[in-house]
Amino acid sequence: MLNIRLYLAQRISAMIMVPFVITHIAVMIYAIQGGLSAAEILGRTQGSVFWFLFYGMFVAAVSVHAAIGVRVIVSETTGLRGSALSLLSGASFLLFLFLGARAVMAVTVSA
Amino acid sequence: MPLKADIDRHDTDILILGTGGAGLFAALHAQQNAPEGTRITVAVKGLVGKCGCTRMVQGGYNVALGKGDSVERHFMDTVVGGKWLPNQDMAWKLCKLAVERVRELENEIGCFFDREPDGSLHHKAFAGQTADRTVHKGDLTGIEIINRLMEQVLSRPIEKLEEHRAIGLVPTRDGSALAGVLFIDMRTGRFRFVRAKTVMMGTGGGPTMYKYHTPSGDKTMDGLAMALRLGLPLRDMEMVQFHPTGLLAGDHTRMTGTVLEEGLRGAGGELLNAHGHRFMFDYDQRGERATRDVVSRGIYSEMRKNNNPEQVGVYISMKHLGPDNVRKKFTGMVKRCADCGFDLAGGLVEVVPTAHYFMGGVVVDPDTRAGIEGLYVAGEDAGGAHGSNRLGGNGVANSTVFGGVAGETMAADIRTMGSLRDPDEDVLAAEIERARRPFARKPGNVHEIRKQLQEMMWDDVGVIRTEHGLKRGLQRLGDIHGALLDTGVDASNLAFNLTWHDWLNVASLTEISEVITKAALSRENSRGAHFREDFPDSGDMDTSYFTVARKNGDTVSVERENVRFTIVRPGETILPEDEPETLVAQA
Amino acid sequence: MRGHRNHPLWFAFLLHRLSGLGLALFLPAHFWMLSMVLTNPEGFDGFARWTDHPLVKFAEFGLVFLLAVHLFGGLRLLALEFLPWPARHKTLAAASIAGAFLVSGAFFLNAV
Amino acid sequence: MSEQQEYLDVSVWRGDASSGDYQSFRVPEYASQTILDVVSWIQQNADPTLTYRFACRVGMCGSCAMMVNGSPRWTCRTHVKKVAGKDRKLKIAPLRNLPVIKDLAADMAPFFDKWVKAGGRHAPSATRNDPIPQIKPESAGRDAANAGIECINCSVCYAACDTVTGNPDYLGPAALQRAWTIVNDEKHGNRDAVIEIVSAAGGCHNCHSMGSCTLHCPNDLDPMSAIAGLKRLTARNFFKRGA
Ligand SMILES: Cc1cc2nc3c(=O)[nH]c(=O)nc-3n(C[C@H](O)[C@H](O)[C@H](O)COP(=O)(O)OP(=O)(O)OC[C@H]3O[C@@H](n4cnc5c(N)ncnc54)[C@H](O)[C@@H]3O)c2cc1C
Ligand code: HEM
Ligand code: SF4
Ligand code: F3S
Ligand code: FES
């Protein structure tokens, strides 16, 4: 159900996410401590090319990663295989990508 | 006689019984050499490659590839070790082809045997040989050989009939050739008759009619019993090799009888009797390092002297070599003992001689052809290559060499054979009725009967034999056979019915036990594995004879036949004059 | 009675799977929430009020917790697969779980 | 024997491919007694129709494995004391992840089909007429090849692995370990083909490193690390050849 391409896609996207996740968690810990208000975060992220790229890549990677992850779990627990399974993982990839892209836009573009 | 049972029928061209070294090699070589389109089938009592004794080979494989060693030297050791009884043409072929077979195992089949640091094959010393010639893979040589062979066979277009037990070799009506083999498909309990142009039997003998025995549980002399019923001659049937150190753990466990490896004694392990006395030097100046037959007799004698029911066997002790050292050197053995609850490295483990290998078997020619057209026999089922004693390391060489030969011979012979032959339906029906006999009787405890047989063989036809004991054995055997025939098996569900198969196992074992006993009575001297307390001398070598047993109707008769010294005569050698007697550094 | 699953590596697997699944389920909600809040006319204020809600706080904590667990579990797997590690898998599994608790613990302490 | 006879409380799965259930037996306890002995005792003395499989009795053939108190084990090498608690209870079932034939005998065919499918067979690079190659026992490849060589294909690891349970195409730990041995065997004539097979669907990339295989292997082998080795090798190869 996983071949080397899907496997590598999942592992590479995971590796890409490592710095993102660490930064993300760090920012959140910092934020919740009261060092930054939500408004301040947004103030910084909006209009920033850096954060746009940061969250953009994060979302791209997580969409690939999570879609393959869901594929594996669904297949192993429900026995779904073949094209139905590919359809499902493709759809979940697009869903993650779409919702993620919207969120990134909201956080970094719209004012 | 019309068939009462509804049976399945099946056709093939080359049929192979058993998947030990002999069966798998036969299948492989048949597949490599037979004409395009030949159907090849292996049928086996267990799963392909997962039963039989070849898998259990620990010590290794004898082959003259070591420095200074030669086929001639291997041959001389085999003939001398067999006390001049071997069929010399077979022994020669064994030693010669072993070289090619080991190269095939390494290069084509993918085995990897242990190496010297420089990368060349490692040869270890096995008792009774004049060169270090045993190649091995640690002490799990058989697993390496069978796993690799099994992969080759599983991945080729060879039909498998697993958990199919052969119960009868069925000839044509005129009796001139073999028509096929009758099986029980164990999983369903149905009979299946398979016609084949050629059949190779490699069911591996197996002296499991002794109270203590090493072979795997699926081996119960079925092949020899089938050959006997077909009227074929069996030779050297008195020759049962005992391994001196079988584990003794009680009657209720299948661990009892399993081998504690030879290397333990080689490394300095001591044997102690009930009084803690190290006794082997009372029997032989080599002490524990004497050959298998000598040590077995030593232990047996000590056991006879001791009347303590709490201690039946003797003890092996390794502790003086340093428990950690022992653990390191014999990891597998120590672990096996520990799994069974014994401390081999630091404590005492009770041991007893245990029936290990059967030198006797069907009379065949060096190309494995048996005395009827269409039948070939190889491996432990075939007699002749070892004479009265098998050298450690010659067993697996024998099965792999002659299994391969059988495969090639069948592939060649089949080219000149016409169509499949039809069986003598009367024989077929009779064999089926023989197997169904217990269904008509009241169910009883088959296991108890097997125990009686095993006690009898151990007491009366065991390590040390006498005329008196053998005759008593024959009498007891008659009773046991009678009891078996009166014991029924519940036939309500025949699918994978082990108790039915136990009944059939005991039937084969009793049949062959009678032959062993009669052959042992016939040999009035002591050679190799066969020791008669009333005839302790080995007899004149120049007039050596071997025994040949046959069944006619219900009677087994044993004749003696003179050994033909086709290559070398007793007292002579084929080694060049300047060759040293032994290449092994004396320890 | 000990089943065949009763060992640290299997629990590490289970934890990784559950955290991954949790994240995958939570993620769309997280994304949706972000865009919802921001496209809302109330804008920042709405967002600020949102994040003060205890339920959201708890969810946020859950997210970080899952992320930390999954991160360390994932690092463990990547190390196991791509670095020729010696056979210390159990230690690695334990270390990753400890790491995850450390991070999410820090987050939790800060949150309350 | 003066000691009072103790009994084991044994619950054994009975049935066939279509259905089945547990059945209880009281089996006398002995000093040296394996699970195989318990099962044999039942067949020999209590219920002659009980089906199970064994051959070698010493952990070499790998035909006696069953689920014992929930874990897969070689029954011939498992001492009762190691698994029966103070309550002397045993629960014995056929090996997981394989079809049942009858009672305690599982059908091992899928396991071996996958073994073969994983390319688990030597492809020669020389013939019986060539000399045996000199190969240093300490060479790196040989070391890796040796690590899993003692596998007796008992299917214990296969039964322990939940990835096998969920994914019927997954080749499983033993077959993949064999493939790892082969790709490290310099004598093998077609290692690329094996790399190809283990990279396809059902191959090594489906393993989640659950480690149940390594934990339960009665031979102390480590299929999990062998599979990790395959993952590394295939990844490296993938990039080398250019995706
Ligand atoms: C513990 C042990 C250690 C040994 N160590 C060594 C050693 O170190 N070196 C050495 O050279 N030799 C050794 N031997 C001897 C060696 O194993 C045998 O001589 C040799 O392997 C026999 O090979 P085979 O193919 O004839 O039979 P086996 O390998 O025994 O195979 C017999 C096959 O026939 C099948 N069969 C049996 N009955 C039937 C039936 N009715 N229908 C269908 N199939 C049937 C069996 O299931 C099995 O598959 C050892 C033996 C044992 C028991
Ligand atoms: C640094 C970040 C991450 C790393 C290092 C990482 C690593 C991994 C790895 C190695 C796997 C494979 C596990 C296996 O095959 O058993 C995996 C599976 C998975 N991951 Fe992640 N991951 C990360 C982030 C995420 C995120 C943010 C999500 C959220 C959607 C996610 C969801 C999943 C899912 C659903 C699986 C499948 C779980 C399974 O198969 O059991 N991962 N992850
Ligand atoms: S790896 Fe271990 S558990 Fe798996 S089949 Fe081989 S010996 Fe059995
Ligand atoms: S248990 Fe299964 S998931 Fe991998 S590590 Fe072993 S094969
Ligand atoms: S009977 Fe052979 S491994 Fe247990």
Side-chain angles (χ1 to χ4, degrees), chain B residues 16-25 42-62 124 126 134-136 139 141-142 146 161 163-168 181-184 186 200-207 213-223 226 241 243 257-260 262 292 336 355-358 378-382 386 390-400 403 505 508, chain D residues 55-58 60:
Chain B
I16 290 153
L17 308 184
T19 60
L24 290 174
F25 250 110
V42 291
V44 57
K45 204 171 175 182
L47 300 177
V48 170
K50 294 182 80 66
C51 45
C53 292
T54 310
R55 215 178 217 289
M56 297 164 75
V57 163
Q58 299 187 304
Y61 191 125
N62 283 347
K124 76 178 177 192
F126 230 139
T134 311
V135 299
H136 61 108
D139 57 4
T141 314
I146 288 294
L161 294 175
E163 286 168 340
H164 271 61
R165 174 199 189 122
I167 56 167
V181 181
L182 176 65
F183 293 93
I184 296 170
M186 298 167 70
M200 194 218 71
M201 190 168 85
T203 64
H213 60 259
T214 68
S216 64
D218 46 302
K219 298 220 300 184
T220 52
M221 293 283 183
D222 294 343
M226 291 190 296
Q241 182 174 71
H243 193 292
T258 58
V259 163
L260 292 186
E262 201 107 74
R292 282 181 188 172
R336 191 193 289 179
H356 185 50
Y357 185 89
F358 197 63
E380 209 172 317
D381 272 347
H386 310 296
R390 172 190 67 101
L391 297 180
N394 266 2
V396 59
N398 176 63
S399 60
T400 53
N505 289 342
S508 295
Chain D
C56 71
R57 319 174 267 154
V58 287
M60 294 184 104

Side-chain angles (χ1 to χ4, degrees), chain C residues 15-107:
Chain C
L15 212 57
H16 193 71
R17 168 155 288 188
L18 291 178
S19 59
L21 187 65
L23 286 171
L25 292 177
F26 181 85
L27 207 57
H30 183 64
F31 287 157
W32 183 75
M33 185 191 83
L34 281 174
S35 46
M36 246 278 289
V37 169
L38 289 169
T39 47
N40 233 348
E42 289 152 63
F44 298 161
D45 304 338
F47 185 72
R49 241 181 291 124
W50 251 94
T51 48
D52 276 342
H53 196 283
L55 210 75
V56 175
K57 266 211 159 128
F58 183 75
E60 288 286 302
F61 165 71
L63 176 65
V64 172
F65 176 74
L66 289 181
L67 207 53
V69 164
H70 194 80
L71 168 73
F72 281 98
L75 285 173
R76 174 188 76 91
L77 280 170
L78 292 174
L80 195 150
E81 288 179 351
F82 292 108
L83 307 173
W85 280 95
R88 310 217 64 106
H89 303 314
K90 274 191 212 163
T91 326
L92 217 59
S96 65
I97 289 172
F101 274 100
L102 210 73
V103 170
S104 55
F107 181 80

Side-chain angles (χ1 to χ4, degrees), chain A residues 1-2 4 7 72 76 81, chain D residues 167 169 199 205-206 208 238:
Chain A
M1 178 232 342
L2 275 194
I4 187 159
Y7 165 83
V72 171
E76 285 184 7
R81 296 195 281 159
Chain D
N167 182 353
D169 294 334
S199 300
H205 303 105
N206 292 283
H208 299 295
F238 187 84

Side-chain angles (χ1 to χ4, degrees), chain D residues 36 54-64 74-77 152:
Chain D
L36 179 63
F54 79 99
C56 71
R57 319 174 267 154
V58 287
M60 294 184 104
C61 71
S63 39
C64 67
W74 293 346
T75 54
C76 69
R77 286 274 297 265
I152 63 165

Side-chain angles (χ1 to χ4, degrees), chain B residues 47 50 55 147 150, chain D residues 53 59-66 72-75 95-96 98 106 108 111-112 115 150-160 174 213 216-219 221:
Chain B
L47 300 177
K50 294 182 80 66
R55 215 178 217 289
N147 275 355
M150 174 192 83
Chain D
R53 186 189 284 125
M60 294 184 104
C61 71
S63 39
C64 67
M66 300 168 202
R73 292 175 168 282
W74 293 346
T75 54
L95 220 46
R96 266 176 97 235
L98 292 167
M108 297 184 78
F111 175 83
F112 284 101
W115 184 289
E150 287 173 6
C151 171
I152 63 165
N153 28 69
C154 64
S155 208
V156 161
C157 54
Y158 188 83
C213 50
H216 288 93
C217 174
N219 249 344
L221 305 183

